[in-house]
Amino acid sequence: EFVHGNPRLASAAAKSERTVADDFITTTLDENGVLSSISFTNEDKFNFAYDVVDKIAEKTPDKRAMLWVSRDKREHTFTFGDMAKYSNMTANYFLSLGIKKGDTVMLVLKRHYQFWFAMLALHKIGAVAIPATNQLVEHDFTYRYKAAGVKAIVCTSDGETHLPAERAAAEFPEIVKILVGAKRDGWYDYNSEMTLCSDSFPRTENTPCGDDTMLMLFTSGTTGYPKIAAHNYKYALGHFHTARYWHNVDPNGIHFTISDTGWGKALWGKLYGQWLAEGAVFTIVEEAVAENSTGTKALDDLMRTLFDELLHPVFSNIGKFGTIMLIAGVALIGLAILRHVIKKQKQESEATFN
């Protein structure tokens, strides 16, 4: 994330307007605008998909939720109204395939926008989402299928990730296989079939919330096999203060976390906290930032724009702006920023001494 200005003042200004988070979260700031306390209410009834995304969609359906950039650098804006609609359609689609409350569903979707549709849909159904990286190989899938009792997998067709996922699933013929982005024998076709479903999925007295299990993340497995870390529906609330008071999310701005959706960072940098703060997220697919791809220039241009139009004016007026927040989730972005900072400083030094 890239923010200039005084984050304390920005946070205080954002807090002055009531948001959907206020029904569940109360914060107190000290005389300097620094967070001094946070408390939660009604969390036993909290469901992120209904209480955040759908609520924002009700009051401001055209408010931007995501700016998404494809591998060929086409931009698409998804509103909160879109997120509510397509998550409802996805929820009905999943139900039609037999996915129900309590089932575990793996999501291997890189940075496809369908990840957000699927996550929200699973939250509405009460099925347990298991985000996973596309770097998994066959034995990784086999282990996760067994450990989590996976009922379904929603997988990208980009690259070859679906192949080891399919081979591993041969041992578990009951697993429902859903492919995003292409058609393949033995897999359901998400892109064409989801669009046939109703866009209504109302909340009921059986809608999951509170202590119901919402999410499973597999640890890195540094000292052994990866272990399951399960989280309930209250988990999303815990990322509000990360987004508001660390990421300094602006309800009228755009937040950029580059993380792949298979990693935990995506959940607190590209979803829960940002939308609780009613900000938009920016997502660019992997192929647009991969080495030796035509999209490498896209990242280079993005970093140059960020520095020239945002960071450089701040660095040049450090006394005026005070605190600067630069949060880079991976080395690629950090190095790209550093490269342009050094380049700009070198150019200015040469201009000064020549």
Side-chain angles (χ1 to χ4, degrees):
E1 181 187 20
F2 310 93
V3 179
H4 76 267
N6 189 320
R8 296 176 180 176
L9 296 179
S11 295
K15 186 62 181 174
S16 65
E17 298 183 9
R18 184 170 178 79
T19 68
V20 293
D22 293 328
D23 290 332
F24 301 93
I25 303 170
T26 301
T27 58
T28 303
L29 307 181
D30 65 17
E31 64 277 7
N32 297 313
V34 177
L35 179 70
S36 59
S37 69
I38 184 169
S39 60
F40 303 92
T41 57
N42 305 316
E43 65 267 32
D44 289 334
K45 300 296 182 182
F46 180 73
N47 179 301
F48 178 82
Y50 284 110
D51 291 313
V52 176
V53 177
D54 282 14
K55 288 294 185 183
I56 299 174
E58 288 176 11
K59 68 174 185 175
T60 51
D62 295 329
K63 181 175 175 58
R64 180 173 55 193
M66 178 190 296
L67 176 61
W68 183 82
V69 179
S70 67
R71 72 171 68 187
D72 57 359
K73 292 178 281 186
R74 289 182 298 105
E75 294 183 3
H76 186 90
T77 295
F78 291 97
T79 66
F80 281 100
D82 292 330
M83 290 297 172
K85 172 185 176 180
Y86 290 115
S87 65
N88 285 343
M89 295 172 71
T90 301
N92 282 310
Y93 177 55
F94 287 166
L95 281 182
S96 75
L97 299 180
I99 297 171
K100 61 185 183 303
K101 184 176 182 178
D103 287 340
T104 49
V105 181
M106 281 189 70
L107 302 177
V108 189
L109 292 174
K110 302 172 79 172
R111 297 191 191 101
H112 304 330
Y113 58 80
Q114 291 91 341
F115 172 80
W116 283 261
F117 298 170
M119 282 291 287
L120 297 173
L122 295 176
H123 292 353
K124 290 179 175 181
I125 293 171
V128 181
I130 307 175
T133 173
N134 64 303
Q135 297 174 349
L136 300 182
V137 296
E138 184 176 343
H139 69 82
D140 296 318
F141 281 107
T142 299
Y143 172 74
R144 284 161 174 76
Y145 290 164
K146 288 181 179 179
V150 171
K151 169 65 181 286
I153 178 170
V154 186
C155 188
T156 176
S157 61
D158 277 357
E160 299 183 348
T161 304
H162 61 287
L163 299 179
E166 182 179 279
R167 291 193 296 269
E171 185 180 341
F172 310 90
E174 70 280 2
I175 289 181
V176 177
K177 302 190 299 295
I178 306 166
L179 197 63
V180 170
K183 298 178 183 292
R184 181 176 173 82
D185 289 344
W187 292 76
Y188 290 98
D189 178 10
Y190 176 92
N191 285 22
S192 64
E193 295 168 354
M194 180 275 287
T195 60
L196 304 176
C197 296
S198 167
D199 61 4
S200 175
F201 199 85
R203 190 172 195 160
T204 71
E205 61 181 15
N206 294 320
T207 292
C209 57
D211 291 325
D212 292 326
T213 302
M214 177 185 76
L215 178 71
M216 286 182 179
L217 297 173
F218 276 84
T219 64
S220 299
T222 305
T223 58
Y225 283 109
K227 300 172 181 63
I228 295 173
H231 300 281
N232 61 28
Y233 278 76
K234 300 175 183 177
Y235 172 79
L237 292 170
H239 291 304
F240 171 79
H241 50 298
T242 300
R244 175 62 62 79
Y245 300 104
W246 179 37
H247 293 165
N248 199 36
V249 169
D250 181 349
N252 298 311
I254 301 178
H255 176 85
F256 181 28
T257 289
I258 197 173
S259 176
D260 179 272
T261 60
W263 305 106
K265 173 63 179 172
L267 302 181
W268 60 82
K270 303 167 83 80
L271 179 58
Y272 296 131
Q274 288 66 38
W275 285 354
L276 271 163
E278 301 193 14
V281 294
F282 172 72
T283 301
I284 182 168
V285 299
E286 289 90 335
E287 290 77 5
V289 297
E291 288 295 335
N292 302 318
S293 76
T294 57
T296 303
K297 187 175 183 298
L299 177 63
D300 198 61
D301 290 344
L302 172 64
M303 292 303 105
R304 183 179 295 107
T305 299
L306 285 170
F307 181 76
D308 289 345
E309 297 184 8
L310 176 60
L311 302 182
H312 181 246
V314 178
F315 290 144
S316 300
N317 295 277
I318 188 68
K320 295 181 181 179
F321 288 114
T323 305
I324 302 171
M325 297 178 64
L326 294 179
I327 304 168
V330 295
L332 175 63
I333 291 295
L335 290 174
I337 295 172
L338 182 60
R339 182 172 66 250
H340 289 295
V341 170
I342 293 173
K343 181 179 179 181
K344 180 66 71 173
Q345 289 179 334
K346 182 178 179 181
Q347 291 173 344
E348 292 185 349
S349 295
E350 292 174 346
T352 301
F353 292 105
N354 287 339

